[in-house]
Amino acid sequence: MNIAQWIVYAKQYLTENLTNDPYLNAKTDSYLLLQFVTGYSKLQLMAFNDRELSKENCEKLTALLERRAKGEPMAYILGETEFWSLNLKVSPDTLIPRPDTEMLVEHALNVAKEKIQQKGKVSILDLGTGTGAIALAIADELKKCGTKYRILGVDLVAGAVALARQNAEQNDLLDVEFQQSSWFQNITEHFDIIVSNPPYIDPQDPHLQQGDVRFEPLSALIAEDQGYADLQKIIAKAPQFLQPQGWLLLEHGWQQGKKVRSFLTENLWHSVQTVKDYGGNERVTLARLK
Ligand SMILES: C[S@@+](CC[C@H](N)C(=O)[O-])C[C@H]1O[C@@H](n2cnc3c(N)ncnc32)[C@H](O)[C@@H]1O
């Protein structure tokens, strides 16, 4: 089979098998799998599409196509994804970073600007760092501006901490530190800003049986109390680990904004606001400690 024939075959196979995936782009996925296996760029694949695929590559492609046809996300198959301007390794130890989380990065950078103007530096804690996506995206921007920073990312899962360290190395951001901790358990410092995209899905949510999340670990997805348990824990403890006038920024479910705002009580917090994601849904709530 040559490259052109395989593209036609793979596109059709994915379209027939992933009828429930509204975001499927069968042609893009087919090219990405070919690039991964052959090492050719997309342009090379297009230019030399009459080239025969070796038996070995055909076997590899069949195995990967089968995984994709069962719904496994491309990021897990390829072992990497893009987030912000970074290329990140991913693994089944944690969530695949989502574009909506870039909203959290954007607002964290906004509040960081104010701290930098005041003190010439900023310290940030990322709780439930996973791949390190949020911590590393913020660090990358601050580094480009020549800003001094202290950024620490923590995660409960040892595999996620190791992955975040690899991503720091891959993106030349070795001054970002990662350590294992259950939320604030091993934290001994105060920070200007705490950011988190914690698990916030209700364990009963039927969406857990659909799409990409079926392949992601429950430790990254679900929280007790209809998804609020970890958000609530973080809000309750954060004042002990924030500098006065420090900021807390939390990603949450699109219908959780109102309740999250209610956890940020007036006696401790002010400037409470929720911002919407690219789809127009409430996604990130931020508040400043008194
Ligand atoms: C929704 S994922 C977010 C990952 C990453 N920050 C991102 O935005 O792509 C939640 C992360 O929280 C971690 N986590 C879950 N429970 C935790 C706990 N008790 N302490 C620290 N991290 C925890 C999970 O392992 C997972 O990596």
Side-chain angles (χ1 to χ4, degrees):
M1 192 182 282
N2 70 25
I3 289 169
Q5 289 163 335
W6 193 82
I7 291 280
V8 173
Y9 161 72
K11 218 177 100 184
Q12 190 180 345
Y13 192 71
L14 291 180
T15 309
E16 282 170 6
N17 280 277
L18 291 170
T19 45
N20 289 333
D21 183 350
Y23 304 108
L24 175 69
N25 190 331
K27 190 172 173 186
T28 301
D29 289 0
S30 306
Y31 268 106
L32 284 170
L33 292 178
L34 263 175
Q35 283 172 248
F36 183 69
V37 167
T38 62
Y40 290 149
S41 68
K42 186 167 181 187
L43 189 63
Q44 285 171 320
L45 290 170
M46 288 160 77
F48 306 114
N49 66 1
D50 55 350
R51 248 183 218 176
E52 283 298 310
L53 290 160
S54 68
K55 184 168 173 277
E56 194 192 344
N57 278 349
C58 273
E59 281 167 9
K60 282 187 195 161
L61 283 164
T62 302
L64 298 183
L65 190 66
E66 205 49 54
R67 283 170 63 186
R68 182 67 190 114
K70 290 194 172 112
E72 188 171 341
M74 283 302 287
Y76 280 157
I77 296 173
L78 304 178
E80 61 178 27
T81 194
E82 277 178 21
F83 179 80
W84 199 255
S85 55
L86 306 174
N87 204 0
L88 298 176
K89 290 183 196 299
V90 297
S91 87
D93 278 318
T94 188
L95 192 91
I96 299 164
R98 307 286 201 272
D100 282 340
T101 302
E102 296 191 358
M103 198 54 69
L104 181 60
V105 173
E106 213 172 293
H107 285 272
L109 287 169
N110 264 337
V111 296
K113 208 162 52 184
E114 170 208 293
K115 297 287 174 194
I116 296 158
Q117 278 162 1
Q118 286 166 2
K119 311 198 298 184
K121 59 183 180 179
V122 65
S123 58
I124 301 173
L125 173 65
D126 175 19
L127 294 169
T129 196
T131 55
I134 300 169
L136 294 172
I138 295 171
D140 192 49
E141 291 301 321
L142 296 179
K143 188 178 169 187
K144 282 180 195 151
C145 304
T147 306
K148 280 193 205 153
Y149 59 76
R150 153 101 176 115
I151 299 182
L152 174 65
V154 302
D155 205 285
L156 178 69
V157 178
V161 176
L163 185 68
R165 287 191 182 129
Q166 282 180 46
N167 281 325
E169 193 174 344
Q170 173 163 294
N171 289 282
D172 199 18
L173 291 163
L174 278 166
D175 49 6
V176 180
E177 283 181 35
F178 294 101
Q179 74 178 59
Q180 200 173 359
S181 174
S182 178
W183 303 136
F184 296 98
Q185 202 169 41
N186 300 332
I187 305 298
T188 52
E189 298 163 60
H190 290 84
F191 293 84
D192 296 314
I193 300 169
I194 297 176
V195 294
S196 185
N197 173 18
Y200 54 69
I201 301 179
D202 179 347
Q204 308 304 326
D205 191 327
H207 291 103
L208 289 166
Q209 317 308 327
Q210 299 163 20
D212 287 9
V213 290
R214 288 172 299 158
F215 294 85
E216 291 174 304
L218 287 175
S219 53
L221 298 170
I222 61 167
E224 292 306 316
D225 301 337
Q226 295 169 331
Y228 290 102
D230 289 318
L231 287 160
Q232 214 167 355
K233 265 184 221 162
I234 292 170
I235 292 171
K237 281 264 176 199
Q240 292 172 42
F241 298 91
L242 272 176
Q243 300 282 4
Q245 297 291 316
W247 284 95
L248 174 65
L249 292 93
L250 295 168
E251 179 170 327
H252 50 72
W254 64 287
Q255 291 172 312
Q256 293 176 326
K258 190 171 173 204
K259 204 150 175 189
V260 170
R261 287 191 295 278
S262 79
F263 298 149
L264 293 154
T265 52
E266 272 179 30
N267 58 329
L268 283 173
W269 302 94
H270 67 108
S271 309
V272 178
Q273 56 165 311
T274 300
V275 290
K276 293 184 174 163
D277 60 24
Y278 303 121
N281 298 309
E282 288 196 332
R283 184 62 62 190
V284 173
T285 293
L286 51 156
R288 190 200 268 268
L289 189 66
K290 281 193 170 162

